[in-house]
Amino acid sequence: MSKFYLIKISARVIIIGAILFQISCGNKDSRTDLLSTTESYELEIVDSLSIDYLGNLELQAVNADKDLFLFSEESHLLLYNRKGGKVSEFDQPRDAPDAFGQFILGATFSENKIGVLGISKFNIYDFDFNLEKSFKKPYPHKGMIYSGFDHLHAGKKEGKPIFVAFTGGPQVDARSNMLQYYQEYNTLDLIDPDQELFSPIIPFHPNSRYAKGTEAFDFIKPHFQVRDHIVSFTHQFDSLFYQFDLDNDTEFKFEKIPFEKFLMNRGYEIGGQQDYETPVDRSGEITNLFQVEDKHLIIYKSGLKLSELPGAEIPNEERRALISELDPEKLIVREKDGSYSQSSLLTKKYRISRVDSKGRIWAEQNVHEMEFEPDLITVYELKLVRKSSK
């Protein structure tokens, strides 16, 4: 299961706010009145990969051309083929010269290489995990440590291979209750392996609720996908879809996702602090974003009104189960033309993890929903199937 850890926030000044309101958001690039089609989608299991491994592996990336699967368990990396056979592995101590550190923030394939982002460094390995390049992140880690998420993607900028990452938070010398935080925010970081550089990229879009500076929010987290020079992303607790062109930063588009229901979480006063004690509505949440060829799959929960939530007198485990039933994960699909499907429910039997360059969807088995502990680690290959509403 994907995890996150809270660490102390470090300070470093990275000035990017000057470009915030220079980003174009003309009507030709913005759509806020999108309507859903009458169609919906469902996911079908078409194949699976089984691995004989004693432990908890996280699928990090899939090389579609060679049918290779990169898994991790803490600081351990393993490469498997389509038949479940182990190709190679990296099992060095966390402080070894060719190691990436204690935590893996993201990993992906790029041009027959493996890029791995640790907390303080970026490493590039070949398929036998021989280290080919390593360079340090120029600023200290801040925000959250996210493990097991799809937070590193290969892309291109002006035709040159690069990587795009979410490192846990913005590179701004301000706390999240300060106006400066929102003025100088960067959503992601661009990693140039040739120049061995990290660069903060993508401020808040001027139409984002976070750019307005009227409210403060804690733990702002994006979900993103990269195809060549186009970065598509959403924010966890917002209902807008964005596309940013790495080759032309004036091409910054946004549109409102036509959820049938999506409760917005409330911020708090700039300079103040979030009240975590007073019961409030359970906000809507985008839990993941994937790109399948020319479609975008948005996985979300609608949220629950305070009056709909189970009472605090119910035991925690039972209460979590009830909330999961009342506010299940759903799927809405964005088509190439910008229209959206109707939403559909997702099964709890698996958790969508990655999409490869051939558009194949890969999902990890949700062992918590099984009656017994499986002997093998199973990854399902899924297919997106269009359905017409009756």
Side-chain angles (χ1 to χ4, degrees):
M1 180 178 293
S2 300
K3 308 179 183 71
F4 61 86
Y5 308 84
L6 183 62
I7 66 171
K8 184 178 180 181
I9 295 178
S10 302
R12 183 177 177 89
V13 179
I14 302 289
I15 302 298
I16 64 168
I19 66 172
L20 178 60
F21 290 104
Q22 297 176 6
I23 300 297
S24 168
C25 62
N27 291 334
K28 64 182 178 66
D29 290 338
S30 307
R31 302 178 65 187
T32 58
D33 58 348
L34 296 174
L35 298 177
S36 299
T37 67
T38 59
E39 296 176 324
S40 62
Y41 286 87
E42 65 181 5
L43 296 167
E44 291 184 357
I45 297 175
V46 296
D47 206 346
S48 64
L49 166 70
S50 295
I51 296 173
D52 187 2
Y53 182 85
L54 184 61
N56 297 306
L57 292 181
E58 286 281 355
L59 179 62
Q60 291 288 343
V62 180
N63 184 307
D65 294 329
K66 298 183 181 296
D67 266 351
L68 294 175
F69 299 78
L70 178 65
F71 290 88
S72 69
E73 185 179 33
E74 297 182 351
S75 58
H76 189 191
L77 294 170
L78 302 102
L79 196 62
Y80 285 89
N81 60 27
R82 189 69 176 83
K83 296 181 179 180
K86 185 168 64 176
V87 176
S88 58
E89 67 178 312
F90 181 86
D91 191 17
Q92 297 295 322
R94 296 169 180 174
D95 57 354
D98 56 348
F100 51 84
Q102 181 178 4
F103 293 104
I104 179 170
L105 302 186
T108 191
F109 292 98
S110 176
E111 298 191 335
N112 294 323
K113 307 296 180 185
I114 299 172
V116 179
L117 178 64
I119 290 179
S120 62
K121 66 171 68 173
F122 184 79
N123 288 357
I124 295 179
Y125 302 94
D126 64 17
F127 286 172
D128 292 318
F129 292 108
N130 296 307
L131 183 65
E132 297 198 350
K133 179 172 287 192
S134 178
F135 53 96
K136 292 185 177 180
K137 193 167 61 174
Y139 31 76
H141 189 89
K142 57 179 61 177
M144 308 292 288
I145 297 177
Y146 293 92
S147 175
F149 292 85
D150 197 16
H151 284 173
L152 182 70
H153 284 262
K156 291 184 178 180
K157 181 173 173 59
E158 298 175 350
K160 176 178 154 183
I162 50 85
F163 296 87
V164 177
F166 175 62
T167 63
Q171 318 312 325
V172 52
D173 187 21
R175 296 186 300 274
S176 58
N177 66 346
M178 300 171 64
L179 183 60
Q180 179 188 352
Y181 182 85
Y182 302 90
Q183 293 174 331
E184 300 178 6
Y185 192 93
N186 64 284
T187 306
L188 301 167
D189 289 274
L190 187 145
I191 304 171
D192 185 330
D194 290 340
Q195 298 296 319
E196 300 186 1
L197 292 175
F198 281 71
S199 303
I201 58 171
I202 314 182
F204 286 128
H205 191 286
N207 286 78
S208 166
R209 67 193 300 222
Y210 303 119
K212 302 186 186 305
T214 55
E215 289 182 291
F217 298 86
D218 295 335
F219 310 122
I220 300 172
K221 176 175 177 285
H223 300 288
F224 69 103
Q225 297 279 276
V226 181
R227 289 294 181 269
D228 292 328
H229 57 97
I230 301 298
V231 181
S232 302
F233 70 98
T234 61
H235 287 115
Q236 183 175 6
F237 296 112
D238 200 2
S239 59
L240 298 184
F241 172 86
Y242 303 93
Q243 286 190 316
F244 184 88
D245 190 337
L246 294 173
D247 288 348
N248 180 5
D249 60 11
T250 63
E251 289 292 318
F252 193 171
K253 304 177 182 180
F254 84 99
E255 62 194 35
K256 187 173 180 61
I257 304 168
F259 294 120
E260 85 291 352
K261 174 186 174 184
F262 193 88
L263 299 181
M264 301 293 280
N265 67 324
R266 296 180 180 178
Y268 58 95
E269 184 179 0
I270 294 289
Q273 61 182 14
Q274 183 71 59
D275 177 6
Y276 291 106
E277 300 298 326
T278 303
V280 296
D281 296 341
R282 175 182 171 87
S283 62
E285 174 186 7
I286 294 176
T287 58
N288 234 319
L289 169 73
F290 297 102
Q291 185 169 349
V292 178
E293 297 175 342
D294 56 5
K295 296 177 172 59
H296 287 86
L297 281 59
I298 300 168
I299 301 171
Y300 72 102
K301 297 180 179 181
S302 293
L304 294 169
K305 289 286 189 181
L306 183 59
S307 60
E308 300 173 306
L309 288 167
E313 73 280 359
I314 299 176
N316 286 338
E317 186 172 343
E318 182 181 347
R319 190 171 189 270
R320 283 193 294 268
L322 283 172
I323 290 175
S324 179
E325 292 295 327
L326 293 169
D327 190 21
E329 276 196 325
K330 291 177 276 191
L331 169 70
I332 188 170
V333 176
R334 181 189 187 273
E335 304 283 0
K336 181 180 180 180
D337 65 1
S339 63
Y340 286 79
S341 73
Q342 299 289 328
S343 64
S344 55
L345 293 178
L346 288 179
T347 179
K348 295 181 182 178
K349 294 181 180 180
Y350 52 72
R351 171 176 57 88
I352 300 176
S353 181
R354 300 293 187 269
V355 172
D356 65 29
S357 60
K358 291 183 179 179
R360 296 178 300 181
I361 305 166
W362 301 96
E364 297 178 72
Q365 203 172 42
N366 189 354
V367 296
H368 300 292
E369 294 295 323
M370 303 180 67
E371 296 181 355
F372 56 89
E373 188 77 18
D375 296 327
L376 300 174
I377 292 175
T378 300
V379 177
Y380 298 113
E381 179 185 346
L382 309 178
K383 178 175 66 174
L384 188 65
V385 178
R386 188 193 305 266
K387 294 173 56 181
S388 295
S389 299
K390 296 182 180 179

